[in-house]
Amino acid sequence: MSPSNLVVQPELDEDTETWPVPKELIKEYNEVRNNYRVLPLPVYDAQNHFVEPPQVNNALKNALVEIHFGIIHYKIGRSGETHDSFTAAPKQLIVLKPAPIQIPSAYKRKNVRSGPVRPKGFEDFRKDMPPDPKGKGVASGSRG
């Protein structure tokens, strides 16, 4: 390829290079980056530190947050027939309380075809119980 056929890309900011973007949206994302100045929504953690864009999803998932936003008002219509329209524009997010640590369920697995889950330490509490006299197979009792 000769130098005259090369397209020179404008220099992009380094911040957006590390943003997580789904593969199917990369083309559109690069078009936005080439034509507009991308500004991240400021997100701050519980210690008031800026959360970098690649970590935002993890910081916000199941967290309690404070959202600061501005309200934009539009008056739409003609004289005598006007309607009010309001739009909220987010300005910043502050994590007040991070998500609680989730203990993974013993029943979650990547591939259900790999077989049933056998949690460690599982004990059938019905094993020492006499059979149901009515034959319905219903056990009652408590774990001992």
Side-chain angles (χ1 to χ4, degrees):
M1 187 176 266
S2 68
S4 61
N5 293 342
L6 294 176
V7 176
V8 177
Q9 290 287 346
E11 189 172 314
L12 300 174
D13 61 305
E14 293 177 9
D15 288 337
T16 59
E17 290 287 331
T18 61
W19 286 14
V21 177
K23 289 179 184 177
E24 63 271 10
L25 298 176
I26 288 178
K27 180 181 175 191
E28 291 83 359
Y29 175 67
N30 285 330
E31 286 178 22
V32 169
R33 283 182 27 183
N34 287 328
N35 296 304
Y36 300 93
R37 182 173 174 218
V38 180
L39 297 174
L41 175 65
V43 176
Y44 300 94
D45 65 15
Q47 291 76 38
N48 296 324
H49 297 115
F50 180 74
V51 178
E52 295 295 333
Q55 284 77 43
V56 166
N57 288 343
N58 289 334
L60 296 180
K61 186 176 182 180
N62 297 321
L64 176 65
V65 298
E66 175 181 320
I67 302 173
H68 294 223
F69 60 91
I71 296 184
I72 302 166
H73 171 250
Y74 298 98
K75 195 168 200 168
I76 303 170
R78 300 171 247 189
S79 59
E81 280 188 41
T82 60
H83 301 282
D84 294 311
S85 175
F86 296 91
T87 303
K91 301 295 183 187
Q92 71 178 10
L93 278 74
I94 303 168
V95 175
L96 299 176
K97 185 176 178 184
I101 295 174
Q102 300 288 324
I103 297 172
S105 168
Y107 294 98
K108 287 188 179 179
R109 56 198 179 267
K110 299 241 182 220
N111 185 351
V112 296
R113 291 179 177 88
S114 64
V117 173
R118 306 257 187 239
K120 294 178 183 174
F122 180 77
E123 184 179 328
D124 186 356
F125 68 93
R126 299 176 297 167
K127 69 181 179 185
D128 298 326
M129 297 182 64
D132 183 6
K134 295 183 182 176
K136 294 184 180 178
V138 177
S140 64
S142 62
R143 296 177 195 224

